[in-house]
Amino acid sequence: MPDNVDASEQMVDNWTKQIQETAARYQAMAARMQGQTVTERSKDNTIEVTIDSKGLLTNLVISEAASGKRMAEVSSQVMRLVQLAQSRIPELLQQAMAETVGTGDETASRVIAEAQSTFPEAPPEEDIAPPEPERHHRFGPEEEEPPPPASATPPQPKPIPRRRRTQDDDEDDFGGSILS
């Protein structure tokens, strides 16, 4: 019987050691991913986005050269670049996992699959519809004219004519003194 107890204790010690080693490798992978960032630039180098390993935008640079573009086009490019950067996260995760934990176990496969579903591949550039030109909408009747521009000096109010007091002004129709 003592051999079975010693063997059981050895088996538990081995499991504990394996669990601690696996936990240390996953912590190393998490630490490596923590500092990862992805930066993407537009083809004309007017826009640059940087995201962290969680997919959050950490930096956005729009150069002065983009001032000639329509804002709808600029915002569309920013969103496209963010999606493109985010789509690279699963690849970075897989690389960090291969170097620390390994990609052979079921947990690693699930983590990578989750990252791929969270950050899918960015759509090809041709699939993105070009932004529509800006349109101005007017509400109300069409024959309504916009108000005339305000003049520099506002019009002066007409003076109110003063009325002469008469004796009847002291008497009121309320029926008595206000003090009673």
Side-chain angles (χ1 to χ4, degrees):
M1 190 80 131
D3 289 337
N4 287 341
V5 171
D6 289 339
S8 295
E9 286 178 358
Q10 182 65 33
M11 190 168 59
V12 169
D13 288 343
N14 287 341
W15 283 344
T16 303
K17 185 180 176 183
Q18 285 178 334
I19 289 171
Q20 288 172 341
E21 288 173 355
T22 302
R25 288 194 310 264
Y26 272 97
Q27 286 176 340
M29 184 218 38
R32 179 174 284 177
M33 284 303 294
Q34 186 71 26
Q36 295 284 331
T37 60
V38 179
T39 300
E40 289 288 340
R41 288 177 191 82
S42 61
K43 290 178 183 177
D44 60 1
N45 290 321
T46 57
I47 302 170
E48 176 182 290
V49 301
T50 301
I51 61 158
D52 65 12
S53 62
K54 296 174 186 159
L56 301 175
L57 185 65
T58 59
N59 194 27
L60 170 63
V61 178
I62 301 174
S63 73
E64 291 295 323
S67 67
K69 295 182 178 183
R70 293 187 349 255
M71 289 298 104
E73 183 181 350
V74 171
S75 63
S76 176
Q77 280 187 318
V78 167
M79 292 306 295
R80 165 106 176 105
L81 292 171
V82 168
Q83 288 176 334
L84 193 59
Q86 288 174 337
S87 72
R88 292 181 43 204
I89 291 175
E91 178 186 330
L92 290 176
L93 180 61
Q94 192 167 16
Q95 182 180 0
M97 227 175 230
E99 294 170 0
T100 56
V101 177
T103 56
D105 77 355
E106 185 180 330
T107 303
S109 298
R110 274 191 269 149
V111 169
I112 292 170
E114 179 68 25
Q116 289 170 335
S117 70
T118 302
F119 304 111
E121 287 190 34
E125 198 164 344
E126 299 84 40
D127 289 354
I128 298 175
E132 291 186 23
E134 291 183 25
R135 295 186 181 145
H136 298 282
H137 299 283
R138 290 184 75 185
F139 297 98
E142 290 202 20
E143 57 270 356
E144 187 177 301
E145 295 283 326
S151 62
T153 57
Q156 298 296 325
K158 294 180 183 178
I160 299 172
R162 299 194 111 209
R163 187 171 73 100
R164 276 210 151 147
R165 259 182 98 100
T166 65
Q167 286 213 348
D168 291 340
D169 286 345
D170 289 338
E171 296 176 15
D172 57 23
D173 292 333
F174 299 114
S177 169
I178 59 168
L179 300 176
S180 48

